[in-house]
Amino acid sequence: MANQQIQRIKSISEYHKVRGLPKPEHPLISLIDYSAIKHSPENNNISWVYDFYFIALKRNMNSKFKYGQKEYDFDEGTMFFIAPGQVFRVEVNQDSPGKSGWMLLIHPDFLWNMPLAKTIRKYEYFGYSVNEALFLSEREEDMITRFMQSIQHEYHQNIDKFSQQIIVSQIEVLLNYADRFYNRQFITRKIANHQVLDKLEALLDSHFNGNGIIKGLPAVQDIAGQLNLSPDYLSTLLKVTTGLTAQQHIHEKLIAKAKEKLAVSTLSVSQIAYELGFEHSQSFSKLFKAKTKLSPIEFRQLFGI
């Protein structure tokens, strides 16, 4: 839309100011009661970018989140994670008096010189789209709330040399539990996961049969986009469902199609490589041998071709 704009918020203090909140007690971390946030429909056309981590547990938002061309209702208790630099948009229907929850804002500098500064990258859900939120059971929501309250308790204590380490440790525990709950979500949504898997199989079949929208080798990002999923979410879903990442799944499908062509056609290795999307047959041969322990020619000789 022509009237859309992107607003970047560089600091936690700036976030507090934009939201009409008192100054944060600490410039690099803040825990906010969601009921204190006032939304305005005037901001519905603004997309936001934060330069800090944003972890939220929200209920009864009466709002829609928009990420790319997709939107998602957030009327139930949900949790989502936004990394620095991600773009998202909130569309408020009407500010709900019954909304509740917590928002934890963490500037990367708060984690400086802590192991979590590096290991936070292992939590793939920071790469998920907003519409791929974590849906918590009542028990899980109570547990996450207790973690938030524990962080809040330490946050309101007099700051001493132990404060940062204690808070960072609590954040890490919270992230680990969120990782567990996401894994549970993938498992309990088997039907939806297998529907995605079926669509992926059809998409790859179409591509390797020469009918694909994407030219060349299919990239995880392109495939995920056609499935309306983020690349990280697709890879995690597949890993839980099949034991393979999205990239591994693409390679497995590619090798299966290559074997079929080598076994039943008289096309040259170069021609097969080109049909599968490779620019250079050497790249195809290298991948084929890495996956099968045989060169394409050695595999073909097994069939007397």
Side-chain angles (χ1 to χ4, degrees):
M1 295 182 183
N3 61 343
Q4 283 187 14
Q5 55 179 306
I6 295 178
Q7 182 166 340
R8 190 177 205 102
I9 298 183
K10 297 181 179 180
S11 69
I12 291 173
S13 296
E14 184 182 352
Y15 180 89
H16 275 243
K17 184 176 181 180
V18 168
R19 294 301 185 188
L21 298 169
K23 290 183 179 181
E25 296 181 39
H26 193 292
L28 299 179
I29 187 167
S30 181
L31 185 61
I32 301 167
D33 184 341
Y34 178 58
S35 64
I37 296 292
K38 303 300 180 187
H39 288 292
S40 171
E42 299 172 1
N43 293 328
N44 282 353
N45 288 320
I46 297 178
S47 293
W48 302 90
V49 180
Y50 299 156
D51 286 352
F52 44 83
Y53 293 98
F54 183 94
I55 301 171
L57 168 61
K58 299 183 178 181
R59 176 177 286 279
N60 300 322
M61 286 181 63
N62 194 26
S63 306
K64 292 182 185 293
F65 262 84
K66 291 201 172 182
Y67 190 96
Q69 298 301 312
K70 289 182 70 66
E71 64 178 35
Y72 197 89
D73 287 302
F74 275 77
D75 294 327
E76 299 298 328
T78 52
M79 194 171 186
F80 55 93
F81 305 79
I82 297 173
Q86 283 184 286
V87 181
F88 67 97
R89 182 154 60 96
V90 184
E91 187 173 292
V92 180
N93 300 324
Q94 182 179 357
D95 216 12
S96 173
K99 66 185 182 183
S100 62
W102 304 87
M103 298 187 302
L104 179 61
L105 285 53
I106 311 161
H107 195 280
D109 288 351
F110 186 75
L111 305 177
W112 184 81
N113 210 28
M114 297 278 182
L116 186 58
K118 293 182 179 179
T119 59
I120 196 169
R121 300 169 192 167
K122 78 176 183 180
Y123 299 101
E124 295 179 342
Y125 47 72
F126 277 110
Y128 296 170
S129 298
V130 172
N131 63 302
E132 296 157 348
L134 174 60
F135 296 84
L136 298 174
S137 68
E138 186 175 346
R139 182 187 63 82
E140 291 168 349
E141 187 175 341
D142 288 342
M143 188 176 294
I144 293 296
T145 298
R146 288 198 299 272
F147 289 136
M148 293 288 194
Q149 290 170 338
S150 180
I151 292 171
Q152 182 187 47
H153 175 77
E154 185 63 34
Y155 174 75
H156 287 308
Q157 297 297 310
N158 293 326
I159 299 296
D160 58 31
K161 66 178 182 179
F162 299 102
S163 301
Q164 182 185 15
Q165 180 64 65
I166 291 172
I167 291 175
V168 170
S169 296
Q170 292 169 332
I171 291 170
E172 188 164 16
V173 173
L174 185 150
L175 296 177
N176 284 331
Y177 269 96
D179 211 11
R180 168 187 278 183
F181 297 157
Y182 253 119
N183 190 70
R184 180 271 309 155
Q185 180 164 295
F186 283 117
I187 292 171
T188 55
R189 295 189 165 199
K190 285 184 179 179
I191 294 177
N193 293 351
H194 282 287
Q195 288 174 341
V196 171
L197 189 58
D198 289 343
K199 291 179 182 178
L200 174 64
E201 290 290 331
L203 196 62
L204 291 176
D205 280 337
S206 177
H207 175 82
F208 289 123
N209 287 332
N211 303 317
I213 299 173
I214 304 166
K215 300 303 178 184
L217 287 172
V220 174
Q221 186 171 355
D222 296 326
I223 295 295
Q226 291 189 57
L227 295 171
N228 292 319
L229 297 172
S230 64
D232 286 338
Y233 189 89
L234 175 61
S235 282
T236 309
L237 183 154
L238 289 174
K239 199 165 187 178
V240 172
T241 307
T242 68
L244 302 175
T245 65
Q247 186 64 65
Q248 290 170 332
H249 198 86
I250 291 171
H251 282 169
E252 289 291 317
K253 178 63 71 172
L254 186 154
I255 295 301
K257 182 58 66 173
K259 286 180 176 180
E260 177 185 324
K261 289 177 179 290
L262 288 166
V264 302
S265 78
T266 57
L267 294 172
S268 70
V269 172
S270 294
Q271 288 174 314
I272 292 173
Y274 179 78
E275 285 192 358
L276 293 174
F278 287 87
E279 290 185 14
H280 306 289
S281 61
Q282 296 93 329
S283 299
F284 164 66
S285 296
K286 184 178 180 180
L287 177 64
F288 190 90
K289 188 160 188 177
K291 295 293 183 180
T292 67
K293 309 302 181 186
L294 296 171
S295 70
I297 292 176
E298 289 170 337
F299 179 82
R300 170 168 271 174
Q301 288 173 344
L302 296 176
F303 298 88
I305 298 176

